[in-house]
Amino acid sequence: MEPLGSGLLPRLLSKFYGFAVQSRISKFAKNPSRAHRHAWPVISVGGIHAGGVGKTPLVGYIIEHLQAQGYCVALLSRGYKKPHKGSCIVKPGDNATWHITGDEPTMLRNRYPGLWLGIGANRSALAQQLDTMLPSKSVYLLDDGFSHQKMQRDVNIVCVPAQVSKTDILLPAGYLREPFSALQRATVICVMGSALEEDAILGRSREIARNFPGSSVCGFKALPGVWVNMNTLESRLTPLSHGSIALLTGIANPKRFVDMVDQSGISYDSVHSFDDHCAFKEGDIAAIVSSGTTTILTTEKDMIRLARSGVVKDQTIWYLTIQLTPVNESSSSAFLSVLDTTLSATFSSSGGFR
């Protein structure tokens, strides 16, 4: 979604939006008991910036670390723009399609089969159901949770893009969901960017650390991983292709994917960008291949919707995995230290159950 611009009406709407946001935050700040305390520690990952910031790769990074430490992880997500409007709980081993759980939770579940899912608008209610279902040493991972005030959290992580500025404007005139000052609520602020933005990530991290000394500030960069064939699951550093290549995306920030393809030196003939979380139709693919396209390159999140929709026929489709890495050792140690120290103290003091 593009901002409406800097005209009088958009700025007036932004003021009303900001008033509503501040009222909601103040309501919970004045009465913390409105936020529910659950049986297991809660790690929230969210943002103040609308659009793709790189939050999902960070969620995957956290899941991988927690599972390696022996924790059972339950992801709480709205399942944004999933076709099925109801809520559900998915245990390890259960079968659920992206229509039920959403593309991002499904993608993460494919990577980490031991992941529990709680999918729905009322994530606190889902956590209440899960409180007595989860095994010992469990952790809730609250996706897109920075503004979700109904749940108390033990670690509050917020992602911001490397190009974010304290002079940015609230929706709908700008991209901010909350004012820049809201970062003071964060336990950890993660500055996210691509490999080409490493200097910007480091510079913005230093600036944010000066403005918010009470938070840990870490930098992460997203790197291209391997290309995986959607049908055969063959993985390669460079996809095999014969004939015309098209790039296909239905994500919030398609430029990031296109830039990664450009950096890899892959030549392509066309770029097709659809809305974020787009439920691809057969006609969408037919329109692309009608010009002679034989190979489609896409993102891992888009692959979930392509594979489960039955819209792909004879085309060769490769999707790109993303590797998230800290920009330096201090970012890595600071980030993991907050997670490990908080969870260790929580389980040591409570015996694992509140």
Side-chain angles (χ1 to χ4, degrees):
M1 180 185 69
E2 290 296 320
L4 295 179
S6 57
L8 179 60
L9 179 58
R11 285 184 173 273
L12 184 61
L13 292 174
S14 290
K15 286 186 178 294
F16 280 114
Y17 175 82
F19 176 77
V21 168
Q22 192 55 51
S23 297
R24 175 172 50 80
I25 293 171
S26 298
K27 179 176 69 174
F28 284 93
K30 291 176 181 177
N31 187 1
S33 62
R34 287 177 177 266
H36 194 83
R37 168 57 77 184
H38 290 281
W40 304 103
V42 176
I43 299 171
S44 169
V45 183
I48 61 170
H49 194 277
V53 181
K55 175 179 59 63
T56 302
L58 184 65
V59 170
Y61 183 87
I62 295 170
I63 292 171
E64 189 166 330
H65 175 74
L66 293 180
Q67 289 186 340
Q69 302 300 310
Y71 293 103
C72 171
V73 182
L75 177 70
L76 303 173
S77 171
R78 289 178 298 166
Y80 186 60
K81 286 196 174 180
K82 62 187 178 71
H84 178 71
K85 300 304 179 185
S87 60
C88 65
I89 289 174
V90 181
K91 305 174 185 176
D94 288 351
N95 184 33
T97 68
W98 81 268
H99 294 84
I100 303 296
T101 60
D103 51 12
E104 291 171 357
T106 302
M107 181 182 77
L108 292 167
R109 174 69 180 283
N110 285 353
R111 278 197 222 156
Y112 311 106
L115 187 67
W116 288 64
L117 299 178
I119 307 296
N122 192 337
R123 285 164 283 174
S124 183
L126 287 163
Q128 283 182 291
Q129 295 179 55
L130 285 163
D131 278 345
T132 56
M133 297 173 63
L134 294 172
S136 60
K137 204 179 178 184
S138 290
V139 178
Y140 289 121
L141 191 51
L142 178 60
D143 180 42
D144 200 17
F146 190 63
S147 299
H148 188 73
Q149 300 290 307
K150 291 183 179 180
M151 292 180 66
Q152 294 185 33
R153 66 283 315 272
D154 298 86
V155 181
N156 207 15
I157 301 169
V158 59
C159 301
V160 297
Q163 307 303 329
V164 74
S165 169
K166 58 185 178 182
T167 61
D168 287 347
I169 303 171
L170 288 169
L171 294 168
Y175 282 107
L176 291 185
R177 293 193 239 173
E178 293 194 41
F180 197 75
S181 59
L183 293 178
Q184 63 189 341
R185 302 202 315 270
T187 313
V188 183
I189 302 169
C190 294
V191 182
M192 316 294 289
S194 68
L196 296 176
E197 297 175 299
E198 185 165 343
D199 289 342
I201 294 171
L202 293 169
R204 191 66 72 213
S205 296
R206 290 190 291 267
E207 176 190 336
I208 290 176
R210 289 194 298 268
N211 286 300
F212 301 96
S215 304
S216 294
V217 181
C218 311
F220 286 89
K221 57 185 178 181
L223 304 175
V226 297
W227 292 93
V228 181
N229 186 292
M230 192 177 80
N231 293 318
T232 67
L233 300 183
E234 175 190 3
S235 61
R236 299 175 60 91
L237 292 177
T238 303
L240 287 174
S241 62
H242 303 283
S244 178
I245 297 177
L247 307 189
L248 171 65
T249 66
I251 57 177
N253 188 355
K255 184 179 183 300
R256 181 181 295 124
F257 173 69
V258 175
D259 286 346
M260 285 187 176
V261 176
D262 287 339
Q263 292 163 37
S264 70
I266 297 172
S267 298
Y268 51 89
D269 300 284
S270 59
V271 178
H272 306 268
S273 299
F274 293 79
D275 291 341
D276 193 18
H277 304 279
C278 169
F280 295 109
K281 299 179 176 61
E282 189 169 345
D284 298 329
I285 307 302
I288 294 173
V289 302
S290 64
S291 60
T293 294
T294 56
T295 301
I296 294 174
L297 306 184
T298 190
T299 71
E300 187 174 6
K301 189 172 84 170
D302 288 312
M303 178 276 298
I304 296 295
R305 283 173 276 116
L306 286 167
R308 304 297 176 92
S309 300
V311 299
V312 178
K313 302 302 181 185
D314 300 323
Q315 297 74 44
T316 299
I317 296 186
W318 294 82
Y319 65 87
L320 181 64
T321 62
I322 300 298
Q323 177 185 347
L324 192 72
T325 184
V327 292
N328 50 34
E329 182 59 34
S330 62
S331 285
S332 175
S333 59
F335 185 80
L336 298 180
S337 176
V338 170
L339 296 184
D340 295 343
T341 302
T342 302
L343 293 179
S344 177
T346 300
F347 281 99
S348 295
S349 63
S350 66
F353 203 84
R354 301 181 196 281

